[in-house]
Amino acid sequence: MLTGKMFRDGVISAANNISNNRKSVDALNIFPVPDGDTGTNMSMTIGAAAKEMAVLPDNCSIGEAASKCASALLRGARGNSGVILSLIFRGFSKGFKELEEAGGKDVAKAFELGVKAAYKAVMKPTEGTILTVVRKASEAASELAKTVDDPMEVAFAAMMAAKEALAKTPEQLPVLKQAGVVDAGGQGLVLIFEGFHSVFANGVIVQPLEAPQETPKEEPKSTVASASDDIKFGYCSEFLIEKAKDAKEKDPLKLRAFLESIGDCVVVVDDNDIIKVHVHSNEPGNVIQAALKYGQLINIKIDNMRYQHRNAQEGAAESENKSEMKPADPINNYGFVAVCAGNGLTELFKDIGADIVVSGGQTMNPSTDDILNAVNATPAKTVFVLPNNKNIIMAAEQAARLAEGRKVKVLQTKTIPQGISAMLMFDEEADADENALAMTQAAENVSTALVTFAARDSEVEGIPVKQGEIMGMCNGKIRYVGADKVEIAFKAASRLIKKYDGGLVTLIYGEDSNEEEAEQLKKKLEEKFGDLEISVVNGGQPIYYFIISVE
């Protein structure tokens, strides 16, 4: 039988295996734009679960292990590949729910539910991707489970079918065949299955090739320390409650009401078998006693905030750790969370009304939990989330599902200009649905040109690209390649202005460009098109020399 300990060790082994091979998975990405690569996103996602698994006891049930794994994956999910992976494991947790141990038929059922959850989340599933790989694995598991109830054999059959499906992905997606590679997401999933197999077949956890490096924690500025006497509630308590079937209390809302009566910055998130709690109070003992009525506590962290503030060092960098965001009561009708990278863009979004700006973008996709924390820190009853990147939308949608105490609307903004235009369309007098529609329409009316560099050699739609060359993209498609970023930007912007008869152009220059180059680009466009309204903005964004909006 498959035990909780084996599943626990399997997750840790799987996380190590994909981490060890992260760069090779990243290299399978055929699109040359530097982005939040698949291997990195999947590795960070399951790595979040591995940390949770490491504290589980040997006698844990498989239902318990799978549930905790799924919750950690969901919150740690980064990028579309990470979200899909988290949904696969969410299905697994449903298949193993309340089981002490699992047989072959249970494993097959878990795969079936995992596939269903993953496919349901993707609007237009494409064959030759991670979805195909997990579906073929599920089909093999179900077929063998009809006659064999050994969970190890069923899991092995699923893994071998996944490998076979992966090898066939180039035949299903011509772009993979042209590049001579298999699907990156599918490869990541196979590596995860291989990590599980090492435990299931040999009892061996794949070990990390390199010891993880600890990121030094930055101390808050001492200017904050001077405010320590003004702190009303001195203790920050955070923990998870593992719900008990025979618990004295069942309703999380009752716990929330009690915590609000003795403190502030209260967050109580109910997620299946887990309740996530955060509160500032002067009575951490009473917080713990109240929580114990619901089940046992794990991952307990209690910080004395007055002590922390008094010991802050002069000149230390201000912490930007997202876990420092304080939950806020939803006192306003509307609020905004935007995702972007670059000091200039951060200030721009704040200037036009964003309450919280989550640091992230093409090469650093924020996790579901990062976005959820930002939503909880927004003091509004309805929070609009602007991902501003197609690879962040799914994580934002998962965060919206987990948010408590407020309505969350995720707008499908795929670029920075779309996010800006959407926010500018907001009408305080309109209701949430009217605003969502108007803001979405405004985003769809914006065309975006991006100028960046090629991260790898490639060939896209017949255009050969060499690593390091400058690329100009129009609405996501590579149109121009060359050596001069201003010239490439001019060609890309000109194409959009002509195609969409645009009259309003915004040139956002990044950290690897400067105002002189932006003004040079502006002058070239004015000379060619004459009557244009062109604005120049210092976005300070990484990766992109220019982000150009055409309306």
Side-chain angles (χ1 to χ4, degrees):
M1 297 293 282
L2 180 58
T3 66
K5 178 180 182 297
M6 295 167 70
F7 185 90
R8 177 200 71 184
D9 293 348
V11 174
I12 296 170
S13 180
N16 290 340
N17 199 40
I18 191 170
S19 178
N20 292 344
N21 295 278
R22 173 179 56 82
K23 291 182 180 179
S24 65
V25 178
D26 286 345
L28 295 175
N29 285 350
I30 56 177
F31 204 53
V33 176
D35 58 12
D37 283 318
T38 302
T40 298
N41 282 337
M42 294 182 75
S43 177
M44 293 181 74
T45 298
I46 196 167
K51 292 178 182 178
E52 292 291 329
M53 295 296 97
V55 300
L56 283 181
D58 288 350
N59 63 351
C60 65
S61 69
I62 191 168
E64 176 187 8
S67 176
K68 291 185 183 301
C69 174
S71 291
L73 277 164
L74 180 60
R75 286 175 167 75
R78 296 175 186 268
N80 293 343
S81 57
V83 173
I84 291 173
L85 180 66
S86 74
L87 292 171
I88 291 171
F89 275 81
R90 172 61 76 188
F92 288 176
S93 73
K94 290 181 179 178
F96 295 139
K97 188 174 182 179
E98 297 183 357
L99 294 181
E100 283 294 324
E101 299 178 339
K105 290 182 174 59
D106 299 317
V107 171
K109 180 183 177 183
F111 265 102
E112 182 182 334
L113 292 172
V115 169
K116 185 179 294 185
Y119 267 87
K120 185 178 180 181
V122 180
M123 188 173 296
K124 295 180 180 178
T126 302
E127 291 304 311
T129 65
I130 184 175
L131 295 174
T132 305
V133 173
V134 72
R135 192 186 79 242
K136 291 296 184 181
S138 176
E139 291 171 356
S142 295
E143 186 61 31
L144 184 61
K146 291 178 182 177
T147 56
V148 175
D149 199 33
D150 185 325
M152 309 313 162
E153 290 190 34
V154 172
F156 180 73
M159 181 187 72
M160 295 307 293
K163 288 185 175 182
E164 185 178 344
L166 177 66
K168 293 179 179 178
T169 55
E171 302 301 321
Q172 296 170 298
L173 283 177
V175 290
L176 295 177
K177 187 172 185 179
Q178 183 180 15
V181 297
V182 295
D183 177 68
Q187 178 65 78
L189 188 64
V190 166
L191 287 166
I192 286 170
F193 288 168
E194 288 177 341
F196 272 95
H197 176 68
S198 179
V199 171
F200 293 175
N202 306 309
V204 176
I205 296 176
V206 173
Q207 296 301 305
L209 295 179
E210 298 179 2
Q213 294 183 347
E214 289 291 332
T215 302
K217 293 184 179 179
E218 296 176 328
E219 296 293 335
K221 288 182 178 178
S222 62
T223 52
V224 181
S226 63
S228 62
D229 292 336
D230 296 330
I231 296 176
K232 183 177 181 181
F233 298 108
Y235 294 92
C236 174
S237 304
E238 288 185 276
F239 50 84
L240 299 177
I241 305 174
E242 180 186 298
K243 296 180 187 176
K245 293 180 182 178
D246 56 350
K248 296 180 181 177
E249 299 287 354
K250 302 288 186 182
D251 186 2
L253 293 178
K254 190 173 179 180
L255 175 61
R256 179 187 178 92
F258 171 74
L259 296 180
E260 288 177 339
S261 72
I262 65 168
D264 66 4
C265 297
V266 176
V267 173
V268 177
V269 179
D270 183 17
D271 181 28
N272 292 338
D273 301 323
I274 295 292
I275 302 174
K276 182 178 181 180
V277 177
H278 173 283
V279 60
H280 293 174
S281 76
N282 290 323
E283 308 169 28
N286 288 338
V287 170
I288 297 298
Q289 289 298 320
L292 284 170
K293 296 177 182 179
Y294 293 78
Q296 65 175 336
L297 309 188
I298 54 178
N299 295 353
I300 302 172
K301 183 168 77 76
I302 300 176
D303 293 323
N304 183 327
M305 294 186 290
R306 294 190 181 96
Y307 179 82
Q308 288 177 327
H309 286 250
R310 283 197 302 269
N311 287 279
Q313 298 292 322
E314 178 66 33
E318 184 176 2
S319 173
E320 292 183 356
N321 190 330
K322 299 172 186 63
S323 65
E324 295 293 327
M325 279 192 271
K326 296 181 179 180
D329 290 330
I331 55 178
N332 302 323
N333 287 328
Y334 298 111
F336 299 89
V337 170
V339 181
C340 72
N343 291 335
L345 286 177
T346 297
E347 289 305 313
L348 175 59
F349 272 105
K350 287 183 177 180
D351 287 344
I352 61 177
D355 296 270
I356 305 288
V357 176
V358 178
S359 178
Q362 194 68 6
T363 58
M364 44 180 177
N365 302 148
S367 69
T368 296
D369 210 33
D370 292 334
I371 299 171
L372 177 61
N373 287 337
V375 167
N376 288 332
T378 302
K381 298 170 185 174
T382 297
V383 180
F384 293 96
V385 179
L386 300 99
N388 302 330
N389 186 297
K390 66 179 182 180
N391 206 36
I392 298 174
I393 292 174
M394 289 185 73
E397 289 174 338
Q398 295 306 307
R401 190 175 73 82
L402 293 173
E404 184 196 62
R406 63 203 77 207
K407 182 187 294 184
V408 181
K409 288 187 174 291
V410 178
L411 303 182
Q412 306 289 302
T413 53
K414 298 177 181 178
T415 66
I416 293 295
Q418 285 189 343
I420 294 170
S421 293
M423 285 200 63
L424 291 173
M425 186 55 65
F426 174 73
D427 180 0
E428 183 73 39
E429 300 302 318
D431 65 30
D433 291 337
E434 290 171 338
N435 267 311
L437 178 60
M439 294 166 75
T440 298
Q441 289 175 340
E444 291 173 347
N445 288 332
V446 178
S447 293
T448 305
L450 303 172
V451 180
T452 186
F453 60 90
R456 55 183 70 86
D457 292 347
S458 185
E459 182 174 329
V460 182
E461 296 184 5
I463 300 177
V465 182
K466 296 295 183 183
Q467 183 176 349
E469 284 190 303
I470 307 298
M471 300 182 301
M473 296 184 294
C474 297
N475 291 328
K477 292 188 176 182
I478 298 173
R479 297 298 185 186
Y480 305 100
V481 177
D484 188 320
K485 55 189 167 187
V486 174
E487 183 62 28
I488 293 297
F490 172 70
K491 290 180 178 179
S494 297
R495 182 187 183 97
L496 293 180
I497 292 168
K498 282 191 265 188
K499 183 173 182 180
Y500 298 103
D501 193 26
L504 180 61
V505 178
T506 304
L507 309 177
I508 305 172
Y509 63 93
E511 64 181 8
D512 293 318
S513 295
N514 55 53
E515 187 174 3
E516 182 181 347
E517 290 171 325
E519 290 295 338
Q520 182 184 348
L521 174 57
K522 177 182 178 181
K523 184 178 179 181
K524 286 171 68 72
L525 290 171
E526 287 174 336
E527 289 175 348
K528 179 171 182 177
F529 294 100
D531 189 21
L532 284 178
E533 185 179 340
I534 303 178
S535 302
V536 174
V537 176
N538 179 4
Q541 72 272 5
I543 307 302
Y544 296 110
Y545 302 116
F546 293 102
I547 298 174
I548 304 169
S549 168
V550 177
E551 299 181 63

